[in-house]
Amino acid sequence: MRETDTRTFTALLTGAVIGVYALIVAGATAAIADAASACSSWPTCSQPPSLTEPALMIAWGHRVTALLVGLLVIATAVVGWRVARRRRVKYALAVALALFPVQIGVGAAVATTGAAGEIPSVHLGVAASIFGALVAALAWHLEAGADDQPVTTDPGPVSEPVGDVTVTRPSGLVETVRAYVSLTKPRLMWLLSLVAAAGMALAADGSIPIETILATIGGGVLAIGSSGTFNHILERDVDRRMNRTADRPLTTEQVPVTNALAFGFALGALSLAAFLTVNVLVAVLGLVAIVFYSVIYTLVLKPNTVQNTVIGGFAGALPALIGSAAVTGTIGPAGLALATLIFLWTPAHFYNLALAYKDDYARGGFPMMPVVRGEATTRKHILWYLAATLLAATVVTAIADLGALVGATTVVLGAVFLWMVVRLHRERTESAAFRAFHASNAYLGAFLVAVVIDALAI
Ligand code: HEM
Ligand SMILES: CC(C)=CCC/C(C)=C/CC/C(C)=C/COP(=O)(O)OP(=O)(O)O
């Protein structure tokens, strides 16, 4: 009975988080569509919803969603008050419940005053506070029984290599080509290219010359290949100690270090040459990205601080700025908002792998979050960063005047991502961590595709 109650509460609370998020996105869409001028009476609009008037439809949609989500928040708080084991979960629910009527009042003011002055900002601020309170309640509830104590402040001494590392020389052209391709970390290129493409699409005012697109994406792919190769070179010894990386071309000596160095520098030079055909700012940002990932992240951050991948997210965010700079020669607000989104998404993406490969990272001597702060803390951080990512997606949508396609994508794929993270909290298994990892990639991929379609085609 108690277990069923807890599951019901988890489902209600997850639904309330998604509901409030949908409301925030609907609110941002209403602001963009200037729904307040289509419907300035309250609590209902003076005109019935009409398919021929999108602003009016959005205004009605926002209000009906607000009513339904309000009822859901009340139901969640009632059940939570009875079921929640920790007092802080109840306090967080109380905050969300108390803020809801305040938010309705501010919403009425937005509608009836024609969205004048600071009122819309207050409306957004209160919405984000309700969302934050519910996310906090969810994280604390899901980890109520888990041990939050730090596991260790030090990952401990590094271990010996995993088994016998076989030294293999390339046996043929195909294997050699495959080895060089794997040095470039090809699996992450599609998503990083999409980040640059979305950065370009957000900055574009009209069509983008094809040579700018090719040089920017091509230069980006070469830059990732170059920094990925340097990362392999610099980590070849430590890679021997981890199962996941023990068979990399430099650890098995399939590719000699000098050849890899030449390959890395060649890719880097080609990348900068491609970027320079676009403009100097793009080339400078590209060089910063390569140096940041190859040297600062790999040598300085990764072995020394638990915040390694959080700060490392800066390199992943740079392609958003590169895309923006490629089109306008400057870094605009939409590019910065997209970069912030990628920065916040990175821990929600990587911490799942850090959980799945925790023992491996400990063997390598890396101070990853689950190794030094524990698994429960890492799972909670995934939820915090996921929530922050979702809010950042709303900011991107609002700044760039994006429409319903982007709004629907962030709500639906965001809900899938959130549900996978909730399951990770409940199941605490390696496969649940991989599921959440893939959901993180699917969320960002779909969001970026929607941004490109919306910004360019609609
Ligand atoms: C500090 C930042 C990051 C870290 C530490 C990190 C870590 C990782 C790791 C360890 C893998 C598995 C690689 C493998 O085993 O071969 C991976 C895969 C991947 N990462 Fe990241 N990542 C980061 C940032 C990013 C960024 C910014 C993007 C794109 C926006 C990204 C996209 C991907 C993709 C698409 C995959 C492959 C997924 C697959 O194979 O299904 N990552 N990441
Ligand atoms: C344009 C440009 C150069 C962008 C670089 C962007 C960037 C930071 C991508 C993230 C790279 C990545 C997969 C890191 C993996 O972590 P790891 O290296 O710790 O993984 P490993 O343990 O598999 O080596």
Side-chain angles (χ1 to χ4, degrees):
M1 175 63 186
R2 174 112 204 150
E3 176 66 11
T4 321
D5 280 355
T6 305
R7 278 178 168 263
T8 307
F9 176 47
T10 305
L12 278 173
L13 191 48
T14 308
V17 169
I18 295 167
V20 169
Y21 184 58
L23 206 45
I24 292 176
V25 173
T29 314
I32 293 165
D34 197 13
S37 54
C39 170
S40 54
S41 57
W42 197 87
T44 56
C45 304
S46 49
Q47 287 171 280
S50 152
L51 281 175
T52 54
E53 287 187 62
L56 188 61
M57 283 296 284
I58 292 169
W60 269 105
H62 184 54
R63 289 183 193 193
V64 172
T65 316
L67 177 69
L68 297 175
V69 173
L71 294 174
L72 184 58
V73 170
I74 293 171
T76 307
V78 169
V79 174
W81 209 258
R82 208 164 42 82
V83 170
R85 274 187 278 164
R86 295 179 79 179
R87 213 179 292 166
R88 55 166 80 175
V89 175
K90 293 183 181 178
Y91 289 154
L93 287 174
V95 168
L97 197 61
L99 285 178
F100 219 92
V102 175
Q103 179 69 341
I104 292 173
V106 180
V110 174
T112 51
T113 61
E118 294 303 313
I119 304 173
S121 311
V122 176
H123 196 49
L124 186 61
V126 179
S129 307
I130 295 172
F131 181 69
L134 290 173
V135 171
L138 183 60
W140 292 329
H141 162 64
L142 287 168
E143 294 298 335
D147 180 10
D148 274 350
Q149 296 307 308
V151 174
T152 163
T153 50
D154 186 323
V158 292
S159 69
E160 291 303 308
V162 183
D164 287 332
V165 176
T166 17
V167 176
T168 42
R169 294 277 164 204
S171 50
L173 183 66
V174 175
E175 283 80 1
T176 308
V177 171
R178 200 172 284 154
Y180 277 91
V181 169
S182 79
L183 289 181
T184 66
K185 305 208 169 187
R187 280 170 31 196
L188 57 108
M189 281 177 183
W190 67 274
L191 200 49
L192 279 164
S193 300
L194 265 178
V195 174
M200 282 194 275
L202 287 177
D205 187 14
S207 66
I208 308 168
I210 185 74
E211 53 279 14
T212 304
I213 298 174
L214 291 178
T216 307
I217 303 290
V221 164
L222 291 163
I224 297 158
S226 167
S227 48
T229 303
F230 291 134
N231 173 271
H232 275 91
I233 296 169
L234 294 167
E235 291 191 329
R236 64 190 186 283
D237 288 332
V238 85
D239 277 349
R240 288 201 177 91
R241 302 194 183 99
M242 302 192 289
N243 285 320
R244 186 174 64 87
T245 52
D247 65 347
R248 289 191 168 171
L250 283 155
T251 60
T252 60
E253 296 176 24
Q254 188 184 4
V255 174
V257 177
T258 44
N259 292 16
L261 267 174
F263 184 58
F265 278 112
L267 291 179
L270 285 173
S271 144
L272 295 182
F275 282 152
L276 274 173
T277 67
V278 184
N279 62 50
V280 176
L281 181 57
V282 167
V284 170
L285 292 170
L287 184 61
V288 171
I290 295 174
V291 173
F292 194 91
Y293 177 41
S294 315
V295 183
I296 299 178
Y297 168 71
T298 304
L299 281 187
V300 183
L301 300 170
K302 192 171 167 186
N304 292 311
T305 164
V306 67
Q307 296 300 335
N308 48 15
T309 53
V310 174
I311 310 169
F314 177 71
L318 277 169
L321 304 184
I322 290 174
S324 167
V327 174
T328 59
T330 57
I331 297 166
L336 273 175
L338 183 64
T340 307
L341 185 156
I342 307 300
F343 180 80
L344 294 168
W345 167 88
T346 302
H349 157 81
F350 173 69
Y351 282 164
N352 299 294
L353 285 185
L355 284 168
Y357 295 123
K358 179 185 162 206
D359 296 343
D360 231 12
Y361 279 118
R363 265 196 294 277
F366 290 114
M368 295 307 186
M369 183 64 82
V371 179
V372 297
R373 298 266 177 90
E375 297 188 12
T377 302
T378 308
R379 286 191 296 267
K380 270 187 279 186
H381 282 223
I382 294 175
L383 201 44
W384 302 139
Y385 281 107
L386 163 54
T389 302
L390 294 181
L391 289 180
T394 318
V395 175
V396 173
T397 310
I399 288 184
D401 273 7
L402 300 171
L405 176 69
V406 175
T409 306
T410 187
V411 172
V412 174
L413 272 292
V416 173
F417 188 6
L418 178 69
W419 185 241
M420 291 308 152
V421 172
V422 168
R423 285 185 62 184
L424 168 66
H425 278 271
R426 284 208 318 229
E427 296 170 23
R428 301 175 189 176
T429 60
E430 202 178 294
S431 59
F434 279 120
R435 241 184 275 126
F437 171 74
H438 290 304
S440 78
N441 296 336
Y443 168 77
L444 189 62
F447 179 76
L448 296 172
V449 169
V451 166
V452 171
I453 294 174
D454 188 306
L456 291 182
I458 296 179

